[in-house]
Amino acid sequence: MKHVDSDWIIIEVKCMKRIPYLLILIFILSCAKAPKKFTQIPLKPNNVFNASFSQTWSAILAGLEWIKWSPAFMDKGEGTIRLKEAYVYRRSGNLIRAYHWPSIEEAKKSGIDDYLEKVAYYDNNIFDPNKALFSQENMEIKVVSLSKLETKVEINYKIKPYLSSGKFGNQVRSKGYIESLLLQKIREKLKGQPVSLGDSPQVYREIFN
């Protein structure tokens, strides 16, 4: 009679007992679905509008009227709007945007550090002790048709402070504050909402006193 090692019998029995559990585990894993991969839809930049070129062009003009900054040149065929060179200074405590230099007396009494800190990356310590009396500002707007019902608006806003030393300082980079307000008004106009000055921040409304 052939001898069978009892230890091997015990091992085989244990293995046989585990097989059903392994089969169940394999079945569960095979049925499990891989997690869904969600495609991330890129957000549309806030300077792209779901509107035709002509609709957007008209909304831009309404927005410019709202900020009371008049165009100097417009070419709808090229999609270009250049605004009049403007000067922002303080007169009798109020900020003024004008298309001419302030008088010598007005410039001496003016100071726009708070305004520049709001609209640009400006540190008055850089120009110390030369305080910024007023700023020279230019804006160019490019209107680009992306499709029949999609239009992009690009705004190039330049700000250069004039200092108490009697010279212009280096151009300061815009924070996008004025541009964002203009884009907001364009969007409101395209949605049929009234373009109202009442909901704008106080520091911006001061310009229109």
Side-chain angles (χ1 to χ4, degrees):
M1 181 181 241
K2 188 177 181 181
H3 175 72
V4 179
D5 194 335
S6 60
D7 290 339
W8 280 105
I9 294 173
I10 293 170
I11 293 171
E12 288 179 2
V13 169
K14 287 183 178 180
C15 290
M16 290 296 291
K17 287 182 178 180
R18 289 178 182 175
I19 289 174
Y21 295 105
L22 291 172
L23 291 174
I24 293 171
L25 180 60
I26 293 169
F27 176 75
I28 292 171
L29 293 174
S30 65
C31 293
K33 292 182 179 179
K36 290 183 178 179
K37 292 183 178 179
F38 294 98
T39 304
Q40 186 174 1
I41 301 173
L43 295 175
K44 184 179 293 185
N46 63 359
N47 65 331
V48 175
F49 301 93
N50 293 323
S52 68
F53 178 91
S54 293
Q55 289 172 325
T56 306
W57 183 273
S58 298
I60 292 169
L61 297 182
L64 293 176
E65 186 177 352
W66 176 79
I67 66 172
K68 296 186 177 179
W69 196 348
S70 301
F73 171 82
M74 293 191 296
D75 188 326
K76 192 172 181 179
E78 291 185 0
T80 302
I81 301 173
R82 281 198 294 272
L83 306 187
K84 291 181 178 180
E85 186 170 83
Y87 301 87
V88 174
Y89 59 96
R90 198 174 294 281
R91 184 173 65 192
S92 301
N94 297 320
L95 285 170
I96 303 295
R97 176 182 284 134
Y99 304 125
H100 55 78
W101 282 53
S103 67
I104 295 175
E105 287 302 314
E106 287 174 331
K108 285 181 179 179
K109 296 177 181 179
S110 179
I112 59 166
D113 282 347
D114 58 336
Y115 166 77
L116 287 177
E117 287 170 1
K118 185 71 176 179
V119 303
Y121 292 98
Y122 169 78
D123 183 356
N124 61 349
N125 293 320
I126 296 174
F127 301 107
D128 187 55
N130 295 316
K131 183 178 70 170
L133 301 179
F134 62 90
S135 63
Q136 180 187 67
E137 304 189 358
N138 295 274
M139 182 181 287
E140 181 172 331
I141 302 170
K142 293 289 292 182
V143 190
V144 182
S145 177
L146 302 178
S147 67
K148 288 184 178 180
L149 292 175
E150 198 171 57
T151 308
K152 181 168 67 172
V153 177
E154 298 174 343
I155 302 174
N156 184 14
Y157 181 32
K158 296 179 180 179
I159 309 164
K160 185 179 287 188
Y162 185 85
L163 309 176
S164 56
S165 62
K167 297 179 180 179
F168 279 105
N170 294 329
Q171 180 176 307
V172 291
R173 187 162 59 92
S174 170
K175 284 183 178 178
Y177 179 77
I178 301 294
E179 299 93 309
S180 65
L181 288 176
L182 178 56
L183 291 170
Q184 174 187 327
K185 291 305 169 184
I186 294 170
R187 185 165 284 103
E188 289 175 3
K189 182 67 176 177
L190 289 171
K191 290 181 178 179
Q193 299 175 7
V195 177
S196 170
L197 185 62
D199 59 351
S200 62
Q202 175 63 31
V203 83
Y204 188 73
R205 278 183 291 175
E206 283 183 340
I207 297 175
F208 307 115
N209 287 344

